[in-house]
Coordinates of all heavy atoms in Angstrom, one line a residue:
A433 N -1.0 -12.2 11.5 CA -2.0 -11.1 11.6 C -1.3 -9.8 11.3 O -2.0 -8.9 10.6 CB -2.6 -11.1 13.0
D434 N -0.1 -9.6 11.7 CA 0.6 -8.3 11.4 C 0.8 -8.1 9.9 O 0.5 -7.1 9.4 CB 2.0 -8.3 12.1 CG 1.9 -8.5 13.6 OD1 0.8 -8.3 14.2 OD2 3.0 -8.8 14.2
K435 N 1.3 -9.2 9.3 CA 1.5 -9.1 7.9 C 0.3 -8.9 7.0 O 0.2 -8.2 6.1 CB 2.3 -10.3 7.4 CG 3.8 -10.3 7.9 CD 4.5 -11.6 7.7 CE 5.9 -11.6 8.3 NZ 6.1 -11.0 9.5
L436 N -0.8 -9.6 7.5 CA -2.1 -9.4 6.8 C -2.6 -7.9 6.9 O -3.0 -7.3 5.9 CB -3.2 -10.3 7.4 CG -3.1 -11.8 6.9 CD1 -4.1 -12.6 7.7 CD2 -3.4 -11.9 5.5
M437 N -2.5 -7.4 8.1 CA -3.0 -6.0 8.3 C -2.2 -5.0 7.4 O -2.7 -4.2 6.7 CB -2.9 -5.5 9.8 CG -4.0 -6.0 10.7 SD -5.6 -5.4 10.2 CE -5.5 -3.7 10.5
V438 N -0.9 -5.1 7.4 CA 0.0 -4.2 6.7 C -0.2 -4.5 5.2 O -0.4 -3.5 4.4 CB 1.5 -4.4 7.0 CG1 2.4 -3.7 6.1 CG2 1.7 -4.0 8.5
A439 N -0.3 -5.7 4.7 CA -0.5 -6.0 3.3 C -1.8 -5.4 2.8 O -1.9 -4.8 1.7 CB -0.4 -7.5 3.0
V440 N -2.9 -5.6 3.6 CA -4.2 -5.1 3.2 C -4.2 -3.6 3.1 O -4.7 -3.0 2.2 CB -5.3 -5.6 4.2 CG1 -6.6 -4.8 4.0 CG2 -5.5 -7.1 4.0
A441 N -3.6 -2.9 4.1 CA -3.5 -1.5 4.1 C -2.7 -1.0 2.9 O -3.1 -0.1 2.2 CB -2.8 -1.0 5.4
L442 N -1.6 -1.6 2.6 CA -0.8 -1.2 1.4 C -1.6 -1.4 0.1 O -1.5 -0.6 -0.8 CB 0.5 -2.0 1.4 CG 1.5 -1.6 2.4 CD1 2.7 -2.6 2.5 CD2 2.1 -0.2 2.1
V443 N -2.3 -2.5 0.0 CA -3.1 -2.8 -1.3 C -4.1 -1.7 -1.4 O -4.4 -1.2 -2.5 CB -3.6 -4.2 -1.3 CG1 -4.7 -4.4 -2.3 CG2 -2.5 -5.2 -1.4
L444 N -4.8 -1.4 -0.3 CA -5.9 -0.4 -0.4 C -5.3 1.0 -0.8 O -5.8 1.7 -1.7 CB -6.6 -0.2 1.0 CG -7.4 -1.4 1.4 CD1 -7.9 -1.1 2.9 CD2 -8.6 -1.6 0.5
L445 N -4.1 1.3 -0.3 CA -3.5 2.6 -0.6 C -3.0 2.6 -2.0 O -3.1 3.6 -2.7 CB -2.4 2.9 0.4 CG -2.8 3.2 1.8 CD1 -1.7 3.2 2.8 CD2 -3.6 4.5 1.9
V446 N -2.4 1.5 -2.5 CA -1.9 1.5 -3.9 C -3.1 1.7 -4.8 O -3.0 2.4 -5.8 CB -1.2 0.1 -4.1 CG1 -1.0 -0.1 -5.6 CG2 0.2 0.1 -3.4
Q447 N -4.2 1.0 -4.5 CA -5.4 1.1 -5.4 C -5.9 2.6 -5.4 O -6.2 3.1 -6.4 CB -6.4 0.1 -4.9 CG -7.7 0.1 -5.8 CD -8.7 1.1 -5.3 OE1 -8.9 1.3 -4.1 NE2 -9.4 1.6 -6.3
S448 N -6.0 3.2 -4.2 CA -6.7 4.5 -4.2 C -5.7 5.6 -4.5 O -6.1 6.6 -5.2 CB -7.3 4.7 -2.8 OG -6.3 4.7 -1.8
H449 N -4.4 5.5 -4.2 CA -3.5 6.6 -4.5 C -2.9 6.5 -5.9 O -2.6 7.5 -6.5 CB -2.4 6.7 -3.4 CG -2.9 7.2 -2.1 ND1 -2.5 8.5 -1.7 CD2 -3.7 6.7 -1.1 CE1 -3.1 8.7 -0.5 NE2 -3.8 7.7 -0.1
A450 N -2.7 5.3 -6.3 CA -2.2 5.0 -7.6 C -1.0 5.9 -8.1 O -1.1 6.5 -9.1 CB -3.3 5.0 -8.6
N451 N 0.0 5.9 -7.3 CA 1.2 6.7 -7.7 C 2.5 6.0 -7.2 O 2.4 5.1 -6.4 CB 1.2 8.1 -7.1 CG 1.3 8.2 -5.6 OD1 2.1 7.6 -5.0 ND2 0.3 8.9 -5.0
F452 N 3.6 6.4 -7.8 CA 4.9 5.8 -7.5 C 5.2 5.9 -6.0 O 5.8 4.9 -5.5 CB 6.0 6.5 -8.3 CG 7.4 6.1 -7.9 CD1 7.9 5.0 -8.5 CD2 8.1 6.9 -7.0 CE1 9.2 4.6 -8.1 CE2 9.4 6.5 -6.7 CZ 9.9 5.3 -7.3
W453 N 4.9 7.0 -5.3 CA 5.3 7.2 -4.0 C 4.6 6.3 -3.0 O 5.1 6.1 -1.9 CB 5.0 8.7 -3.6 CG 5.7 9.6 -4.5 CD1 5.1 10.3 -5.5 CD2 7.1 9.8 -4.7 NE1 6.1 11.0 -6.3 CE2 7.3 10.7 -5.8 CE3 8.2 9.3 -4.0 CZ2 8.6 11.1 -6.2 CZ3 9.5 9.7 -4.4 CH2 9.7 10.6 -5.5
V454 N 3.6 5.6 -3.4 CA 2.9 4.6 -2.6 C 3.2 3.2 -3.1 O 3.5 2.3 -2.4 CB 1.4 4.8 -2.5 CG1 0.7 3.7 -1.8 CG2 1.1 6.2 -1.8
T455 N 3.2 3.1 -4.4 CA 3.4 1.8 -5.0 C 4.8 1.2 -4.8 O 4.9 0.0 -4.5 CB 3.0 1.8 -6.6 OG1 1.7 2.3 -6.7 CG2 3.2 0.5 -7.2
A456 N 5.8 2.0 -5.1 CA 7.2 1.5 -4.9 C 7.4 1.0 -3.5 O 7.9 -0.1 -3.3 CB 8.2 2.5 -5.4
P457 N 7.1 1.8 -2.5 CA 7.4 1.3 -1.1 C 6.5 0.1 -0.8 O 7.0 -0.8 -0.1 CB 7.0 2.5 -0.2 CG 7.1 3.7 -1.1 CD 6.7 3.2 -2.5
A458 N 5.3 0.0 -1.3 CA 4.4 -1.1 -1.0 C 5.1 -2.4 -1.6 O 5.1 -3.4 -0.9 CB 3.0 -0.9 -1.7

């Protein structure tokens, strides 16, 4: 459950922010 929540949040942020500062850490 923890990993699903974090992965979903990261995918949403990578899609919407679409920049290195979010994508690389994700």
Side-chain angles (χ1 to χ4, degrees):
D434 302 344
K435 287 167 184 39
L436 281 173
M437 280 297 297
V438 169
V440 166
L442 287 167
V443 168
L444 291 174
L445 289 169
V446 164
Q447 184 269 325
S448 62
H449 286 252
N451 66 51
F452 173 82
W453 304 106
V454 174
T455 303

